[in-house]
Amino acid sequence: MVSHSELRELLCSADAVCFDVDSTVIQEEGIDELAKFCGVEAAVSEMTRRAMGGALPFRDALTERLALIQPSREQVQRLLAEHPPHLTPGIRELVSRLQERNVQVFLISGGFRSIVEHVAAKLNIPTTNVFANRLKFYFNGEYAGFDEMQPTAESGGKGKVIRILKEKFHFKKIIMIGDGATDMEACPPADAFIGFGGNVIRQQVKSNAKWYITDFVELLGELEE
């Protein structure tokens, strides 16, 4: 059992920090915003809620939601142009502080790479540090499914990405920060998990996370001490 003070020490000595994106780095759930944009919001947000609570296997939930949305390439581009995601307050400063400390920052998302790369650019995170699902389109731009080979396309995918990062870069201490059950399940192999409830509180995460925050300012304060 890791104590709270040990978790703080892990954060301050981590060589990599991985963030979930939807409802963590950004205030929205990307798939729900896409569903709203495509006019199928109610059905999709109910499925998202069940998936985030751990009631549906992730790949099944993703497949079913995308089958309802059927997003075209043009719709995804218009969503980003007309309704760009909003960064969560404090995330820009936290990422900058981590990068100043030579900590590698990664975005690991069950959402879509086209949206997550847009977020990464705002935070000066290289696209090589982005792990997310790839939408596939036919030559005419219509929806053609998603890349099922991505580790983030299945349950336990975030943990698989962290395992890959440890093997590739030999990181000694990786922290995972996120709002959902899929983020908490990534520890282990992550060395510590910090639950985030600044945008939405998932009771399962709040009850089980050893360290639970609702404002990134708290982590900034730890890194400044």
Side-chain angles (χ1 to χ4, degrees), residues 56-90:
L56 263 185
F58 185 79
R59 189 194 296 267
D60 293 354
L62 186 61
T63 303
E64 288 179 37
R65 288 179 292 178
L66 283 170
L68 281 170
I69 302 170
Q70 294 276 320
S72 67
R73 181 187 280 120
E74 187 208 359
Q75 283 173 317
V76 174
Q77 289 169 347
R78 277 178 50 216
L79 172 69
L80 285 170
E82 296 172 24
H83 304 282
H86 297 91
L87 292 178
T88 299

Side-chain angles (χ1 to χ4, degrees), residues 104-140:
Q104 285 287 323
V105 178
F106 295 88
L107 299 180
I108 308 179
S109 174
F112 309 123
R113 192 172 181 94
S114 44
I115 296 173
V116 178
E117 284 187 349
H118 178 87
V119 174
K122 289 184 173 185
L123 295 170
N124 295 316
I125 295 171
T127 54
T128 48
N129 287 20
V130 168
F131 293 85
N133 290 314
R134 292 179 185 275
L135 292 172
K136 296 199 290 193
F137 303 101
Y138 291 111
F139 69 93
N140 64 355

Side-chain angles (χ1 to χ4, degrees), residues 151-162:
T152 48
E154 59 187 306
S155 297
K158 291 176 182 177
K160 284 183 181 158
V161 171
I162 289 171

